[in-house]
């Protein structure tokens, strides 16, 4: 699926700012992921996205020194094997430039050895996990793509490297086209009240804001 079609699906779901805000409100009420992400941002040192970006070398050290991959695997229940985590950790150390998203996301291909009941061993992809890891390298430009977001947008094509790249382009184009949505988010009294209830601040990256708006099924709006 190309980025133009993905943008169309985003705009069908988030047809105006009111809908955008409602979906974020819903996410804050029923899901803990925003709280987890904000805790991560604060721990890493991001401050309204003005933190100096990681260099590739700094990100590699961060991943190794904090057992970050294990943490992501546990919190998001991605069920990667210990061997898979080890392979990804080693591959991450070989990436020269994480800004080269094509090469960075490529390391999550055939990286998770999985043994089936019949004894066969297959190296499965971990692209959803990869989008989460790379999000923390650049939360302003690297979106998260997992099964929930794909389901809510009606993206039925196989989760592969090409889809991750097209989704990233689409997400950045959506943010640029609907800059007013994100400006209004920061000015919203409704959002501020929701965050205050949870002792959270309004310190989010563009791609986490978009993820909140895309993550919950629309039928939950009746909650």
């Amino acid at each position: 699926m190309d980025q133009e079609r993905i943008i169309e699906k985003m705009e069908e779901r988030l047809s105006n700012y009111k809908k955008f805000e409602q979906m974020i409100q819903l996410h804050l009420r029923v899901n803990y992921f925003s709280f987890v992400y904000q805790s991560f941002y604060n721990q890493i040192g991001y401050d309204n996205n003005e933190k100096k970006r990681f260099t590739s070398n700094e990100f590699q050290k961060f991943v190794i020194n904090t057992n970050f991959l294990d943490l992501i695997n546990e919190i998001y229940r991605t069920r990667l094997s210990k061997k898979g985590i080890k392979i990804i950790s080693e591959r991450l150390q070989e990436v020269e430039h994480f800004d080269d998203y094509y090469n960075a996301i490529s390391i999550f291909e055939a990286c998770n050895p999985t043994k089936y009941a019949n004894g066969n061993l297959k190296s499965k992809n971990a692209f959803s996990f990869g989008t989460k890891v790379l999000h923390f390298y650049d939360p302003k430009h690297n979106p998260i793509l997992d099964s929930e977001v794909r389901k809510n947008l009606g993206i039925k094509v196989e989760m592969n490297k090409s889809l991750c790249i097209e989704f990233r382009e689409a997400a950045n184009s959506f943010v640029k086209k609907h800059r007013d949505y994100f400006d209004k988010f920061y000015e919203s009294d409704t959002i501020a009240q929701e965050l205050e209830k949870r002792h959270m601040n309004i310190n989010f990256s563009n791609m986490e804001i978009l993820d909140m708006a895309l993550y919950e099924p629309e039928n939950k709006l009746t909650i």
Side-chain angles (χ1 to χ4, degrees):
M1 181 177 290
D2 61 29
Q3 61 177 287
E4 286 77 16
R5 182 61 185 132
I6 296 173
I7 293 172
E8 287 177 9
K9 286 181 172 292
M10 288 181 178
E11 292 186 332
E12 288 169 7
R13 177 181 167 91
L14 306 172
S15 55
N16 52 57
Y17 174 73
K18 182 178 180 181
K19 183 69 174 297
F20 181 78
E21 185 177 70
Q22 286 177 331
M23 297 312 299
I24 292 173
Q25 280 182 271
L26 173 65
H27 184 76
L28 290 171
R29 289 171 182 167
V30 304
N31 207 300
Y32 60 78
F33 283 131
S34 58
F35 188 84
V36 170
Y37 269 78
Q38 188 163 92
S39 299
F40 282 175
Y41 295 147
N42 292 340
Q43 183 66 32
I44 293 170
Y46 287 112
D47 183 14
N48 291 321
N49 302 321
E50 296 300 324
K51 169 186 163 68
K52 182 180 178 181
R53 283 269 309 281
F54 278 116
T55 65
S56 293
N57 183 254
E58 287 171 343
F59 189 64
Q60 288 166 332
K61 290 180 179 178
F62 168 72
V63 169
I64 289 294
N65 293 335
T66 59
N67 294 323
F68 185 66
L69 300 182
D70 292 309
L71 183 61
I72 293 293
N73 194 34
E74 289 292 329
I75 289 175
Y76 298 100
R77 303 182 295 277
T78 45
R79 299 186 295 278
L80 268 71
S81 65
K82 290 183 178 180
K83 180 64 175 176
I85 293 291
K86 184 175 185 296
I87 289 171
I88 292 170
S89 180
E90 291 171 350
R91 289 184 182 181
L92 283 170
Q93 300 310 305
E94 297 173 358
V95 176
E96 291 187 15
H97 302 291
F98 283 97
D99 287 321
D100 183 349
Y101 195 80
Y102 178 88
N103 284 329
I105 198 67
S106 295
I107 72 170
F108 297 93
E109 187 170 14
C111 63
N112 186 33
T114 303
K115 190 172 184 178
Y116 291 88
N118 61 9
N120 290 340
L121 188 67
K122 180 181 178 181
S123 289
K124 298 174 69 174
N125 302 324
F127 290 119
S128 175
F129 181 78
T131 65
K132 295 178 176 72
V133 173
L134 295 178
H135 171 77
F136 285 97
Y137 171 71
D138 183 359
K140 189 173 182 180
H141 298 104
N142 291 347
I144 300 158
L145 179 60
D146 60 14
S147 58
E148 293 300 317
V149 171
R150 289 171 63 210
K151 180 172 63 177
N152 292 335
L153 289 178
I155 298 175
K156 299 179 181 179
V157 299
E158 179 185 359
M159 184 69 171
N160 54 37
K161 178 168 55 180
S162 176
L163 179 60
C164 291
I165 293 166
E166 293 295 321
F167 186 81
R168 182 179 186 270
E169 293 299 317
N172 280 280
S173 294
F174 183 91
V175 171
K176 184 177 181 180
K177 182 177 180 180
H178 297 283
R179 183 65 257 174
D180 59 311
Y181 285 16
F182 297 82
D183 292 339
K184 289 177 182 177
F185 168 87
Y186 282 108
E187 297 167 357
S188 169
D189 289 337
T190 302
I191 294 295
Q193 290 169 10
E194 290 290 345
L195 293 172
E196 186 177 358
K197 293 175 187 176
R198 296 158 182 78
H199 299 274
M200 297 168 65
N201 58 47
I202 205 162
N203 189 19
F204 292 100
S205 70
N206 288 342
M207 291 305 164
E208 170 57 6
I209 295 170
L210 181 60
D211 188 64
M212 288 192 285
L214 296 176
Y215 195 84
E216 305 301 333
E218 291 186 75
N219 58 19
K220 281 190 178 180
L221 277 177
T222 57
I223 294 177

